[in-house]
Amino acid sequence: MPANKFLHSTSRKHSTKEDLQRQPIQFGPGRWFGLGLGLAGVAMISATAGALLAVSLSSTPLMQQKLSPEEAAVFSQQDLAKSNMRLPELTRPVNILLLGIKVLTSDLEEYPHYSNDVGYHALVNSFKGLSDTMLLVRFDPKNQKLTLLSIPRDTRTYVEDRGLTKINAANYYGGPAKSAKAVSELLGGVGIDRYIRVNVQGVEKLIDALGGVTVNVPKDMKYQDDSQHLYINLKAGEQHLDGDRVLQFLRFRYDNLGDIGRVQRQQLLMRAFMEQSVNVKTLSRLPKILSVIQSHIDTNLSVEELVALMNFAAKTERSNVQMLMVPGEFSNPEKYNASYWLPDLTTLDTMIAKHFDFGYDREQLENAESSYIRVAIQDSTDDWDSVDELVNSLNDAGYWNVKVAKPWNSPLEVTRIIAQKGDMQAAQEVQKSLGFGEVFVESTGYLRSDVTIQLGKDWLSIQDESQTQNSRDW
């Protein structure tokens, strides 16, 4: 990919009719996935929604920070939902900015001596720090789609009054409004309707309130930071994690992928939530869940809007949930004093055009010949002969830009064909050529691919059937 695709300034404008019709910058949550880290796919949302409606509070009961008129104007002033005889429903597509915030005592002026008193920098239930997690979530009732765009915290972009810097600084210097402006700038002017901020302590408490989550830990994770009382010690493999261990899973970033690896693990966690169904125990936890939401969430959503979003998310089919990540590359340490994620703006514009219905498609990868599509293979079968056969099959189908990447972290029954940069059509074409596998739009595959094939046991079965048929023919 040409180096000039990775621009270091994201200040640009689209000369399209959307610019003339552009609405105010808007924010919004994400499929309760959200809460920045994976609360997404919990099927008990409708029950929670009903409980929320029963709470007699003001129109924005969860707003912890009062916005000035100028800050409030950053977000859409249009209604998002309407009430009916049952639960509120969305009236149009909406974009919600979801921020996960980690704040230490050393970050706040009101705790000048606390760290010295206790001997470490403790977590605080506050929203004034750097955003540890950032998601833009689109709820699209017309197409029944839920799209999450992960924005790495180290993404280099323009932040008002700060210049080109890491995007996670926006919340620290200007709260949700400045964060919304920075995200809109990065994405070429896309509107943001509402915001949700979640404190990292709230994530831990909410996971516990939900009863934990079963997830496959891709590798051993061990890290210790006495200054924060941060102790990460997880073994590889599928296991049920409580809130504390989920935070360990999410906060670990001490490998060669750094924050990008964290983003991929966040998506793995979200997918795990979607795979798990509600049970009677979950419903019994509603009072505790509501208590956590009220004390650890900051949002300009009304109760009616929040319920409409949760109701929509609960009804969204698993196949219609798409998880993307801002494409880019790591900065060269010889050129930058800090470590950045440099966004690939051409590919990003294409992604926003396809999945957020804004701007225009500058790359048009779907029209590219198969020989130009970058395909990566992550094997989960431990059968390298079958991997070689897959490479040959792809070559026969016209895919020559094929790379065998690091194996997938757990055995898969069914092959997953990942649209790594959101190009569903390219992934479907690969699936059609192979004749097997499930297509997903997410960013858990090989970073430098357009399509990643996470090879499962179904390919071994196909190989066995082919060999049996050949022996019969002889």
Side-chain angles (χ1 to χ4, degrees):
M1 185 174 292
N4 61 4
K5 289 183 69 179
F6 296 91
L7 307 181
H8 301 158
S9 170
T10 62
S11 182
R12 71 207 195 282
K13 296 187 180 293
H14 291 134
S15 56
T16 65
K17 64 181 181 181
E18 284 84 355
D19 290 87
L20 301 178
Q21 301 170 346
R22 187 177 306 164
Q23 299 175 359
I25 299 176
Q26 313 157 349
F27 253 155
R31 171 187 193 156
W32 234 194
F33 265 113
L35 297 194
L37 292 74
L39 314 175
V42 185
M44 41 68 64
I45 289 178
S46 291
T48 304
L52 270 174
L53 279 179
V55 178
S56 177
L57 294 167
S58 63
S59 60
T60 52
L62 303 178
M63 182 176 285
Q64 307 288 342
Q65 174 182 320
K66 183 176 176 59
L67 301 179
S68 69
E70 293 77 13
E71 291 173 327
V74 169
F75 305 98
S76 170
Q77 305 303 305
Q78 297 182 1
D79 292 335
L80 309 183
K82 66 178 180 180
S83 296
N84 56 24
M85 295 300 292
R86 293 182 294 181
L87 292 176
E89 295 181 346
L90 292 178
T91 57
R92 62 180 177 86
V94 296
N95 298 330
I96 308 294
L97 185 66
L98 189 58
L99 302 173
I101 311 297
K102 183 192 73 175
V103 184
L104 301 175
T105 50
S106 53
D107 297 328
L108 300 175
E109 294 180 0
E110 54 263 45
Y111 293 93
H113 305 297
Y114 187 87
S115 297
N116 293 332
D117 293 341
V118 299
Y120 67 97
H121 304 295
L123 289 171
V124 183
N125 183 19
S126 172
F127 302 98
K128 297 181 180 180
L130 301 173
S131 54
D132 226 32
T133 300
M134 185 175 287
L135 296 171
L136 183 64
V137 187
R138 182 173 180 82
F139 296 76
D140 185 352
K142 179 180 178 181
N143 297 302
Q144 291 298 303
K145 283 174 50 179
L146 186 63
T147 303
L148 295 91
L149 176 66
S150 297
I151 305 170
R153 53 176 283 172
D154 294 338
T155 300
R156 189 171 191 261
T157 192
Y158 176 79
V159 175
E160 188 179 57
D161 300 327
R162 307 302 302 180
L164 288 171
T165 187
K166 294 184 178 181
I167 198 167
N168 69 334
N171 184 73
Y172 182 86
Y173 290 106
K178 185 160 289 189
S179 295
K181 288 182 178 180
V183 170
S184 182
E185 171 74 17
L186 172 67
L187 305 183
V190 65
I192 301 175
D193 294 286
R194 304 285 189 271
Y195 76 88
I196 291 180
R197 293 192 297 179
V198 185
N199 183 273
V200 67
Q201 289 181 314
V203 174
E204 177 180 355
K205 293 179 184 299
L206 188 55
I207 296 296
D208 284 335
L210 291 170
V213 59
T214 299
V215 67
N216 184 73
V217 179
K219 60 183 177 182
D220 289 348
M221 298 179 183
K222 194 171 182 64
Y223 179 78
Q224 178 173 328
D225 184 348
D226 292 330
S227 69
Q228 299 184 40
H229 270 209
L230 174 60
Y231 304 108
I232 298 175
N233 188 11
L234 297 175
K235 293 294 184 182
E238 185 174 286
Q239 53 202 282
H240 194 76
L241 303 182
D242 61 9
D244 175 66
R245 292 196 294 166
V246 164
L247 280 192
Q248 294 181 42
F249 180 77
L250 293 171
R251 293 181 68 183
F252 184 81
R253 55 181 301 205
Y254 308 97
D255 55 22
N256 60 339
L257 288 181
D259 189 52
I260 304 305
R262 274 193 352 138
V263 169
Q264 292 187 320
R265 285 189 291 277
Q266 288 167 13
Q267 294 192 2
L268 287 175
L269 186 69
M270 290 186 242
R271 196 58 84 175
F273 264 107
M274 286 185 285
E275 301 291 344
Q276 298 175 40
S277 60
V278 66
N279 54 40
V280 175
K281 288 184 178 180
T282 303
L283 298 179
S284 69
R285 297 186 178 104
L286 282 177
K288 188 175 182 180
I289 293 170
L290 290 174
S291 175
V292 172
I293 290 175
Q294 290 179 0
S295 59
H296 292 83
I297 302 295
D298 169 42
T299 178
N300 60 348
L301 284 162
S302 69
V303 168
E304 181 181 55
E305 293 170 342
L306 181 58
V307 170
L309 293 172
M310 296 168 73
N311 185 36
F312 175 81
K315 296 187 296 185
T316 302
E317 294 291 332
R318 169 175 168 265
S319 59
N320 289 333
V321 178
Q322 303 177 339
M323 296 185 289
L324 311 167
M325 181 181 71
V326 169
E329 65 177 12
F330 294 105
S331 62
N332 186 334
E334 296 180 0
K335 294 183 179 180
Y336 298 92
N337 293 327
S339 175
Y340 293 105
W341 180 250
L342 304 178
D344 173 358
L345 299 181
T346 298
T347 304
L348 181 57
D349 283 344
T350 297
M351 189 178 288
I352 297 303
K354 289 178 180 175
H355 297 283
F356 286 79
D357 297 326
F358 182 85
Y360 59 99
D361 186 339
R362 293 170 59 183
E363 192 170 69
Q364 296 183 332
L365 183 61
E366 70 274 16
N367 295 324
E369 296 181 10
S370 58
S371 58
Y372 291 100
I373 295 175
R374 297 170 298 179
V375 179
I377 300 171
Q378 293 180 313
D379 176 51
S380 83
T381 67
D382 200 25
D383 186 328
W384 290 104
D385 288 338
S386 293
V387 174
D388 289 339
E389 287 298 322
L390 180 62
V391 173
N392 292 334
S393 295
L394 287 167
N395 292 162
D396 291 342
Y399 296 95
W400 289 98
N401 196 351
V402 179
K403 174 183 176 63
V404 178
K406 185 178 179 180
W408 186 240
N409 52 63
S410 62
L412 297 173
E413 295 295 326
V414 178
T415 295
R416 294 159 50 90
I417 301 174
I418 306 297
Q420 177 69 21
K421 292 183 171 61
D423 193 336
M424 171 73 87
Q425 186 169 336
Q428 289 173 334
E429 287 298 322
V430 171
Q431 179 196 45
K432 182 179 178 181
S433 297
L434 295 176
F436 67 96
E438 266 188 297
V439 173
F440 292 89
V441 177
E442 56 187 50
S443 302
T444 58
Y446 181 67
L447 289 181
R448 295 188 178 277
S449 71
D450 300 313
V451 176
T452 295
I453 301 173
Q454 295 170 346
L455 192 61
K457 294 180 182 178
D458 51 345
W459 173 238
L460 300 184
S461 299
I462 292 172
Q463 292 292 100
D464 290 343
E465 291 175 6
S466 177
Q467 292 174 4
T468 300
Q469 185 62 45
N470 288 338
S471 62
R472 288 174 180 170
D473 292 341
W474 280 99

